[in-house]
Each structure stands twice: as C-alpha cells, then as structure tokens.
C-alpha cells in the first residue's frame, strides 16, 4: 500500500427512502438548509486523507444530485445504482477501478453527522494487514431474537454485540473481489459491506463508532437532526452592509431583486440593486470574507449589467460552504421615492428564494431622510443591511 494510501469514499445514495416523508428520496430532503446527501459528501471532500469521492445515485436522480453536490472538488461523476444496496455498492466499486484506491470507505448518505475524526479512525483501522474494519458501538438495550409469531427464542449476551455504522473501511481490491463474487454467485440481500466480506471469508474487525453518527430514516429523525444541527451552529456572527447608487435617466430601479417602475433609473455597473448589494456585503461581513468588490471586481467586464441575484447567491454559497446558515437579514432602504411598501412582500419572497431561507428571516424596511442629504434631494438611494449568521461551533 502506498504511504499515505489513496483513500476513496463511496457514498451510497441510491435508495428511494420515501419513509422519511417530503415526497422525494430522503437523501435530497433538506437538513439545515442543504440536501441530506451534501452533509456527508462535504465532510469527505474537506478531509485531508480522502482523495476521491464517488456517489451512487438512484435512476433519474441526476438533477437532484447536481443541486446537492455543486462543488466538483475530489468528485468522480455519479454512478447509477441497482435495485438493492448490494448492487449499488458494486456499481460504485466498479466505477472506482480506474482510480485504483488502496482503501475504500463505504458510507450511507443518511448519516449526515459523520465526523472528520471517525473518517480518520476508519482509515487508520485498515492498516497492518486488516482488510475490513467497521465502526461499532456497544448495544445498551437488551436484544431479543424472536420467531415469526413474535415469541422470544433467545436473549444473546449484549456484551458480545455491537451495532455497526458506516463509514466501513476496506482494502479496495478485497472488497471489489468479494462483491463481484457475491454477485456472480447470486448471493443477494446482504445489508452492509462487512457482511459481504464475512460471506467471502475475510476477517472483519470493529473499531469504536460514534454514538452521534445516527442514521436518519423517519420524519421524526429529520426533526431531531434539524434541531441538533441548529444548536450546533452556536457561533453566531453579525455583519453589516451599506450601498448607494445615484439616480440617472431611466424608467425603473431594481430593489431586492424586484423591478420597480420609477421615473428615474440608477447609475451602476451592474443592475444597481442597492438592497441586494448591501445584503451581499452584510453576509460577506459576517464571514469576514472581503466585500462585494473583492468577489466581483467592477473592473471585470463580465459583471457589466449583471443581475445582482448572483452576488447574493454567491455570498449564500460561501456561507453554506462553511456549514452555516442565515438566521436573519434585516434591510433598510433610504429614499424619498419610489415607495417600497407596495413591493415589500415581493422583495422578501425573491430574497428568501435566492438565499434558500423562509421569508420570516428577511425583513425589508424603508424610510425617507426627511428631504435632507443626497437621498432627501432625490439624487440617489441607499440601503443598509444587517445579517445574522450561524456557523458550526469550534
Ligand atoms: Mg452597489
């Protein structure tokens, strides 16, 4: 084995998983504002010891996948899985043959609380001649074996039992060979990959799992996970933004992503939407990540006349990439005209859609400056924004 070994992560997301509700496969249901699948994939992408990540998806889920995994870093193209988990994993392993990893970590997309530490433990566990290692936790409930009528037939000693999780770690060629042989022999219905290795005659070792690495199956699992994610984002930050544009000849202005008829236009490089510009700067400020000019230099011709949606969406993407969420965006527009009130709800809805949050997290307020100053003289308009964001705690 190379040192350090080439580690590939194979994320299984091919199930239909409709028991969780929401009308779409559970791996695409939103958790903390992001598709469930993106949580584990992101953790693998950001792990220094993982070189390659591949997701096995369900037939027809390509569009959902593209939305869930926008960052191509370390990603191989997704592979369509089979009718059963076992067939899906084999499809994924075959797609990794060319990359020829030393170690493969097989992980279920439904476990979003995967930690970097557990990935490190899984990789470390397959050193020194071990070909298969799976995370397991002690069983705290007494387990009963029952017959078809529900009668207890045995009570195994729980001291000798472990509940196993993923990621399960394997020497890649050994797992590939075992899966191929199981498929050609017609052995099916093995519910995890360590079972395939056991069937194949390989020794499987257990390393300590993580009690927090739970699998989400039912709607109530999602509710509990949502609360847990939100509580874990306990690094609360506030950023502010301010923007001004001068009026010029024209017949409309853009405010909050909404086109508002007016007897003036604004002088701007882009569409001159002061609300979206101030909001973008507020989020960038909360992330201490420069300002709108750093990310979209006015000297760059590609932003000429650009719709400001993309500036705000970019800031939202940076926040999501840090594992964070927007808690509140509060904007004040300062102008004598146009009147903002009639467009307030449309602006809130548009901005909520761009940011992927509920409208209850977007406030739009307006004031005049009592005919004083540049806004009072109707020379231009201004917007102030305050963004409150939550990031995962250290
Ligand atoms: Mg501006």
């Amino acid at each position: 084995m190379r040192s350090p070994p080439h580690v590939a992560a194979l994320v299984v997301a091919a199930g239909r998983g409709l028991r969780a509700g929401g009308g779409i496969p559970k791996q695409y249901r939103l958790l903390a504002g992001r598709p469930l699948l993106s949580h584990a994939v992101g953790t693998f992408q950001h792990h220094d010891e993982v070189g390659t990540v591949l997701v096995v998806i369900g037939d027809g889920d390509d569009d959902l996948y593209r939305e869930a995994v926008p960052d191509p870093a370390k990603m191989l193209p997704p592979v369509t899985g089979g009718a059963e988990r076992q067939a899906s994993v084999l499809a994924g392993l075959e797609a990794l043959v060319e990359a020829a990893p030393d170690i493969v970590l097989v992980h279920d997309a439904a476990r979003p609380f995967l930690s970097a530490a557990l990935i490190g433990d899984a990789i470390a566990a397959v050193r020194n001649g071990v070909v298969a290692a799976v995370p397991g936790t002690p069983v705290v409930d007494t387990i009963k074996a029952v017959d078809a009528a529900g009668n207890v037939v045995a009570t195994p000693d729980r001291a000798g039992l472990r509940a196993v999780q993923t990621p399960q770690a394997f020497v890649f060629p050994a797992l590939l060979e075992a899966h191929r042989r199981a498929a050609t022999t017609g052995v099916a219905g093995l519910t995890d990959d360590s079972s395939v290795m056991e069937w194949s005659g390989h020794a499987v070792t257990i390393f300590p799992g993580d009690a927090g690495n739970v699998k989400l199956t039912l709607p109530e699992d999602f509710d509990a996970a949502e609360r847990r994610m939100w509580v874990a984002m306990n690094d609360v930050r506030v950023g502010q933004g301010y923007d001004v544009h001068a009026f010029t000849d024209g017949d409309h202005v853009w405010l909050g992503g909404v086109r508002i008829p007016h007897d003036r236009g604004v002088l701007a490089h882009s569409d001159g939407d002061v609300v979206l510009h101030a909001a973008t700067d507020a989020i960038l400020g909360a992330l201490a990540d420069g300002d709108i000019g750093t990310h979209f230099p006015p000297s760059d011709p590609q932003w000429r006349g650009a719709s400001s949606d993309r500036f705000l969406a970019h800031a939202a993407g940076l926040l999501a990439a840090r594992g964070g969420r927007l808690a509140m965006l509060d904007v004040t527009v300062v102008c004598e005209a146009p009147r903002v009130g009639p467009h307030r709800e449309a602006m809130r809805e548009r901005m909520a859609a761009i940011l992927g949050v509920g409208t209850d997290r977007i406030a739009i307020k307006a004031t005049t400056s009592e005919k004083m100053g540049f806004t009072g003289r109707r020379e231009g308009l201004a917007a102030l924004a305050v963004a409150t964001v939550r990031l995962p705690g250290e």
Side-chain angles (χ1 to χ4, degrees):
M1 203 178 287
R2 286 163 279 191
S3 187
H6 175 191
V7 177
L10 178 60
V11 180
V12 188
R16 301 325 292 166
L18 297 172
R19 265 187 299 167
I24 55 170
K26 71 175 172 186
Q27 53 273 32
Y28 301 106
R29 269 196 61 174
L30 297 186
L31 177 65
R34 296 192 287 141
L36 177 61
L37 170 63
S38 73
H39 290 270
V41 168
T43 306
F44 281 123
Q45 283 179 299
H46 290 114
H47 199 282
D48 290 343
E49 294 177 76
V50 175
T52 305
V53 186
L54 178 108
V55 181
V56 185
I57 63 173
D59 191 21
D61 288 348
D62 300 73
D63 289 345
L64 289 166
Y65 169 83
R66 267 190 294 277
E67 259 178 62
V69 185
D71 178 4
K74 300 184 182 177
M75 301 304 299
L76 291 180
V79 173
T80 301
E84 285 192 338
R85 187 185 187 285
Q86 197 183 321
S88 294
V89 173
L90 177 56
L93 293 172
E94 294 290 0
L96 284 171
V97 166
E98 199 178 328
D102 302 300
I103 293 171
V104 61
L105 307 178
V106 184
H107 185 69
D108 288 333
R111 294 185 189 269
F113 294 104
L114 171 67
S115 69
L118 191 64
I119 294 173
D121 290 348
I123 295 168
V126 287
R127 302 267 167 84
N128 304 323
V130 173
V131 294
V134 304
T137 55
V139 175
V140 293
D141 295 321
T142 295
I143 305 287
K144 300 287 185 185
V146 295
D147 64 17
N151 299 311
V152 172
V153 295
T155 304
D157 178 8
R158 71 181 179 199
L161 296 176
R162 294 292 180 272
V164 302
Q165 314 176 331
T166 66
Q168 300 190 349
F170 306 96
V171 169
F172 175 74
L175 184 65
L176 175 65
E177 191 273 338
H179 262 282
R180 280 177 174 170
R181 206 148 53 79
T184 53
T185 315
V187 173
L190 299 175
T191 54
D192 80 336
D193 302 288
S194 60
S195 302
V196 178
M197 290 296 267
E198 289 165 52
W199 169 83
S200 184
H202 286 289
V204 176
T205 64
I206 300 269
F207 62 93
D210 172 0
N213 179 32
V214 295
K215 185 172 185 174
L216 309 193
T217 304
L218 303 171
E220 51 266 38
D221 299 337
F222 274 81
D223 295 343
E226 191 73 41
R227 284 193 295 276
R228 186 173 153 194
M229 288 269 175
W230 193 247
V231 169
M233 290 182 203
N234 58 9
D235 184 353
V236 178
R237 301 183 180 202
V238 175
Q240 56 124 348
Y242 173 67
D243 194 43
V244 168
H245 281 280
F247 283 131
T248 185
D249 293 339
D251 63 1
H252 72 276
V253 296
W254 285 93
L255 286 178
V258 175
R259 189 183 195 276
I260 297 175
H262 190 46
D263 57 5
R264 313 296 315 274
V266 294
L267 201 57
H269 192 74
S270 64
D271 63 12
D273 189 325
V274 289
V275 170
L276 296 194
H277 294 181
T280 302
D281 260 355
I283 293 172
L284 293 175
L287 296 174
D289 192 355
D291 59 25
I292 195 167
T294 325
H295 293 267
F296 302 97
S299 55
D300 187 335
Q302 70 169 308
W303 310 124
R304 189 178 304 280
S307 163
S308 298
D309 298 21
R310 68 166 75 179
F311 303 153
L312 187 60
H314 179 74
L318 293 172
L319 175 58
R322 297 265 294 267
R325 268 190 106 178
L326 180 71
M328 189 65 208
L329 179 67
D330 183 20
V331 181
T332 301
V333 184
V334 187
C335 61
E336 300 294 322
R339 287 189 58 219
V340 169
H343 307 284
R344 184 195 318 268
E345 293 314 311
M347 292 163 65
R348 292 176 70 210
E349 280 171 24
R350 182 73 198 112
M351 293 172 72
I354 296 167
L355 292 163
V357 299
T359 51
D360 62 325
R361 298 187 185 277
I362 309 288
I364 302 287
K365 310 185 309 297
T367 184
T368 70
S369 51
E370 298 287 343
K371 300 188 170 56
M372 295 179 288
F374 72 88
T375 53
R377 292 187 299 271
R378 297 176 182 245
E379 293 167 8
L381 75 178
L384 305 97
V386 174
T388 307
V389 306
R390 298 178 67 131
L391 293 169
E394 298 293 316

